[in-house]
Structures are given as C-alpha cells and as structure tokens.
Amino acid sequence: MQIPQDLIDTAKLKLKSVQSEAEFFQLRAQFLGKKSYVISAFASLKSLDPKEKVLAAKELNILKEKLHAIFEEALEVIQNIDEVSALDVTLPSDPYLVGAEHPISKVAERVISYFSALNYQVFSGNEIETDYFNFEALNFPENHPARQMHDTFYIKSKSKSEYLLRTHTSNSQIHSMLREPLPLYMLSPGRVYRCDSDTTHLPMFTQIEGLVVDENVTFGDLKGIIINFLEYFFDEKMEVRFRPSYFPFTEPSAEVDIKFGDNGWLEILGCGMVHPNVLTNCNIDTKKYRGFAFGMGIERLAMLRYGVQDIREFYSSNLDFLNQFTS
Ligand code: 2NL
C-alpha cells in the first residue's frame, strides 16, 4: 500500500491560512473525517494480505496520530486568537508615507494666501545681491552697522562691486519697482542671511515683505491691512499696537506688537511709509506716488503658531519634529 508522505506538510500549510474555527473544522474533516484519505485507507486494509496489512496499519496509525497532534495544536492557537487581534480585512491599508510640508512653507503659504486674495503679486528675487540693491538703494547710510562684516555675509570682499547674501528681501522690491508698472502691490517671500545664531536667530531665515506703491496711500491704509492680516493669520480678534521705530527705508516707521497671553506685548513685524529717497532711487515720482511697506520673519511666526521654543528645530532635519506637520 502506497501511503502519501506529503500529507503532513499539506495539512500544516493549509492550517496556516485558517482564520476561523469554522474553517478549521472544515479542514480537519478533510484530513481526519469519515471521507478523509486516512480513515478510508483503514477500510481498504482488509483487501491486503496479513503481512502487508500489519505494516500498512502501523504506518497509517502513525500518520493519523501525527495529523491529530497537528490539528490539536492548531485548534489551541485558533481559539486563542481573540476578536481584537483577528485579521480584519475591511481595515484600510497602511497609508503611503509621502512626508510633510515643512512648517516654514506652511506658514509662508498662509501669509501669501491673505495677500494673494488682495491681488498682491509675488516676486521672490535673488538671494545673491550687490551692495547697491541690498543697502544703497534702500537709503542705508554708508556707515550703517548692518553693512559691517559681522552682520552681513560678503562674497569675497566688501568692495562695492562685489556680491553679498541679501539680508532682507527688499532687494527684490527694488528690482520690482524698477521693472513693474505702477501701481504696484507686491509680496516678496524668500530666504535671507545674517551673521547671527542662537535659540531665536539663525544665519539663514525666511522673510516676507510687502510693498504697495500707489497714489494717495496712507499710514491708515497700512494700519488697516496689517491689523486685518494679523486677525486672519491668528484666526482671532487681536489687540495690536503700533510702536514708533526706525528703519532707513521707511519714514515714519513702526514696529507692530500683539498682545500674547500673559506675556504682554510681543513684536511681530515692522512697517512704515516708504522713504522718498527709496522711491526716487527707483525713478518713481514722489509728487504722484507714495508707498507703504512691511516685513516679517516667518520662523518667528511659525514659532508662535506651533509653540516651537528653539528656532533651530526647523532646520535640524529631525523627522520626529517634521512629521508633526502632516495635516
Ligand atoms: C522687519 C522689518 C520691514 C520694510 C521691511 C521695505 C522695503 C522697501 C521699501 C521700504 Cl523696498 N520698506 N520693507 C519696511 C519696514 C519694515 O521689515 O522687522 N522685518 C523682519
């Protein structure tokens, strides 16, 4: 009598894909039930001669015992699978990991979305610039401290014909005033560079500046836009304070503070009416046109929005930090 030797392996293999008790009993009937190979083989033993019968019966019994043991063991495993850990084929599959938009990009987009809705154009400009477009055209005096080597990254030497890394995005606004027709409503987001590094400063950061040049624009227009923007950005009514300040490129100038929790006032951006010297440098008739401008640091806004304590987190490439911004 020929006894199939792969029966054990086949049973083991089929048991692996069993997912319910019902399936288990069905499979057990196939291998050990009345119509199974093993049980029907016992019935056919009587047709064999006595010597062969003993041998075949012994082999069949061993096979039956092995199958019993396998099924016994498998039943225990199946009965231990509780409802929770049972495979639920209706569950959604694991999501594809496509990364997260960087928090600085998200905040920049939020700022841009407000001004785009007011028809401001977006011009990002170049990060490598000449002294003229970064300082001179913006009415910085010859000896202004920002122009010094320990504040500005110069490429090669500090001679006027050489290049530097822009310290603000205003260079892009100078280029735009020289190039674009008036009136001009623009926003310039981009990376800027200053020799500075601690928990609230980085040698590279992101700035967004806005510029309007039109007839009859006033400081009142500027105030209105800024307050409305801050309420859009923080999604709530804000207490806003305009504090007199100084920038070489605006006159008058103001720093804007918001009331933040119990910490009192917090500086959030700078702004002012464009200095007539800046307009003149861009061939704009100051009798006909006036301008207002403002500038803000995106990392600072992002730190407030997301409660980030150390500005360096944004550029540490730490996925545990970055993956918090997936939504
Ligand atoms: C700040 C302050 C400011 C401007 C930026 C500007 C640009 C041109 C002309 C006049 Cl082309 N002004 N930009 C004006 C006032 C303030 O930024 O604290 N930024 C982080």
Side-chain angles (χ1 to χ4, degrees), residues 261-282:
D262 303 326
N263 302 337
W265 296 102
L266 206 67
E267 187 191 323
I268 196 85
L269 54 84
C271 63
M273 301 305 289
V274 179
H275 197 291
N277 288 355
V278 176
L279 295 175
T280 304
N281 289 339
C282 298

Side-chain angles (χ1 to χ4, degrees), residues 192-231:
V192 301
Y193 302 84
R194 294 179 194 176
C195 298
D196 212 347
S197 191
D198 58 46
T199 55
T200 53
H201 297 87
L202 283 174
M204 180 212 80
F205 64 101
T206 314
Q207 197 188 25
I208 295 188
E209 279 183 277
L211 171 71
V212 167
V213 181
D214 203 345
E215 296 177 44
N216 300 319
V217 290
T218 69
F219 198 90
D221 296 324
L222 170 62
K223 270 187 89 170
I225 289 285
I226 294 298
I227 294 169
N228 192 239
F229 159 70
L230 290 172
E231 295 188 339

Side-chain angles (χ1 to χ4, degrees), residues 56 80 87 143 165 170 176 180 223 290:
N80 279 337
L87 179 68
N143 295 313
L165 296 180
S170 319
S176 299
E180 299 293 324
K223 270 187 89 170
R290 278 191 255 172

Side-chain angles (χ1 to χ4, degrees), residues 30-46:
Q30 261 179 51
F31 282 86
L32 289 161
K34 270 186 203 143
K35 289 178 182 160
S36 67
Y37 166 79
V38 181
I39 302 306
S40 48
F42 273 112
S44 60
L45 282 177
K46 52 183 179 286

Side-chain angles (χ1 to χ4, degrees), residues 104-120:
I104 297 305
S105 304
K106 286 172 87 114
V107 169
E109 274 311 315
R110 191 173 174 83
V111 176
I112 292 166
S113 69
Y114 174 84
F115 289 99
S116 293
L118 295 178
N119 261 350
Y120 282 52

Side-chain angles (χ1 to χ4, degrees), residues 36-60:
S36 67
Y37 166 79
V38 181
I39 302 306
S40 48
F42 273 112
S44 60
L45 282 177
K46 52 183 179 286
S47 59
L48 299 174
D49 63 65
K51 216 174 150 190
E52 223 183 316
K53 197 196 271 181
V54 175
L55 256 159
K58 205 173 161 185
E59 261 192 79
L60 276 177

Side-chain angles (χ1 to χ4, degrees), residues 138 170 173-174 177 207 209 247 249-250 270-271 293-297:
L138 282 151
S170 319
Q173 294 168 299
I174 298 293
M177 281 189 275
Q207 197 188 25
E209 279 183 277
F247 300 111
F249 34 79
T250 45
C271 63
F294 52 89
M296 63 198 106

